[in-house]
Amino acid sequence: MRAPVKLYADTSVRRTKQVLGDLAVVLWGWLCIQFAHKVHEATLELATPGRTIDSSASDLAGRLRDAGRTVAGVPLVGDSARAPFDGAGKAATRLSEAGQQQVAAVESLAHWLGLAVALIPILALAWFYVPQRLAFVRRATAGQRFLDAGADLDLFALRAMAHQPLHVLARIDPDPAGAWRRGEPRVIDRLALLELRSIGQRPPPATSSRSSDDLVGP
């Protein structure tokens, strides 16, 4: 059975930092969304004149059409008297349509502006934070699976020699590679501990008791 995905370190200090970092990212996202909502609402206020124009012009067009129908019933001059009212009604209708178009443009602007205000800062933070967290999760999960399977600590010792700074390795042993090739348990344990702790994992109890007093971390 495969070990579950490991989201956080075993060591308390690093785990606390990771939890606080994740909470900070969530809080940042929430703040960005709230600010974007405020921007969206403020931008929609720009559509108020357009709604007023639409409402007023629609009402005017209706009244002009009603007036045109009324004068159309006047004998002899009805048709000619109605024409100006119909023309004015059509002009009012076009004015109403212009108001509707202005409202639609402002609503579109508010939508996309709100999305940009929310997504740009969220994605900017995620660009830097998420890859680091995913890298930790992959390394920690893989390392835990090796430990759960009882894998030899030689693998972690070898990774320590590949990943850790030279001055840190020199504190373990003047010739860590040679000691590893000779299979010296004390050096191997200390190298393995160094690698495990660098990814926030606790070593097996037996290994920790043999080497933790001598280990100097980065």
Side-chain angles (χ1 to χ4, degrees):
M1 181 178 180
R2 301 182 67 184
V5 174
K6 193 175 185 65
L7 297 177
Y8 297 101
D10 293 329
T11 54
S12 59
V13 174
R14 186 166 186 179
R15 181 172 60 249
T16 300
K17 290 181 179 179
Q18 290 173 336
V19 171
L20 291 177
D22 290 351
L23 290 177
V25 170
V26 173
L27 177 60
W28 175 255
W30 181 81
L31 290 174
C32 290
I33 291 173
Q34 294 302 310
F35 182 65
H37 178 70
K38 296 294 184 182
V39 171
H40 180 270
E41 294 298 318
T43 306
L44 284 179
E45 293 296 324
L46 299 176
T48 300
R51 294 192 181 95
T52 302
I53 292 173
D54 177 25
S55 176
S56 300
S58 295
D59 182 65
L60 177 61
R63 291 177 182 274
L64 289 171
R65 284 193 294 269
D66 291 341
R69 285 192 292 268
T70 300
V71 300
V74 177
L76 301 176
V77 297
D79 291 340
S80 59
R82 179 178 181 175
F85 290 97
D86 288 344
K90 292 178 181 179
T93 299
R94 289 194 293 271
L95 183 61
S96 173
E97 292 173 350
Q100 294 173 8
Q101 292 173 358
Q102 180 183 356
V103 171
V106 171
E107 289 176 346
S108 178
L109 174 64
H111 172 74
W112 291 110
L113 186 59
L115 281 180
V117 169
L119 290 180
I120 290 176
I122 291 174
L123 293 177
L125 179 61
W127 179 266
F128 294 100
Y129 185 78
V130 172
Q132 297 178 20
R133 287 290 286 124
L134 292 178
F136 168 83
V137 170
R138 286 195 299 267
R139 291 178 62 193
T141 300
Q144 190 62 53
R145 287 171 181 168
F146 277 113
L147 291 176
D148 292 344
D152 198 312
L153 292 179
D154 279 6
L155 173 62
F156 295 99
L158 182 60
R159 286 182 61 84
M161 288 188 290
H163 295 155
Q164 301 300 323
L166 292 178
H167 71 276
V168 175
L169 296 176
R171 296 174 186 173
I172 302 295
D173 190 89
D175 183 16
W180 177 80
R181 285 194 297 269
R182 292 190 297 271
E184 297 183 11
R186 187 175 183 82
V187 174
I188 291 175
D189 286 351
R190 294 177 68 190
L191 289 171
L193 279 168
L194 190 64
E195 177 65 15
L196 288 170
R197 290 181 177 177
S198 72
I199 59 174
Q201 288 182 287
R202 296 189 184 279
T207 304
S208 179
S209 63
R210 288 196 302 266
S211 305
S212 59
D213 291 340
D214 299 325
L215 180 61
V216 179

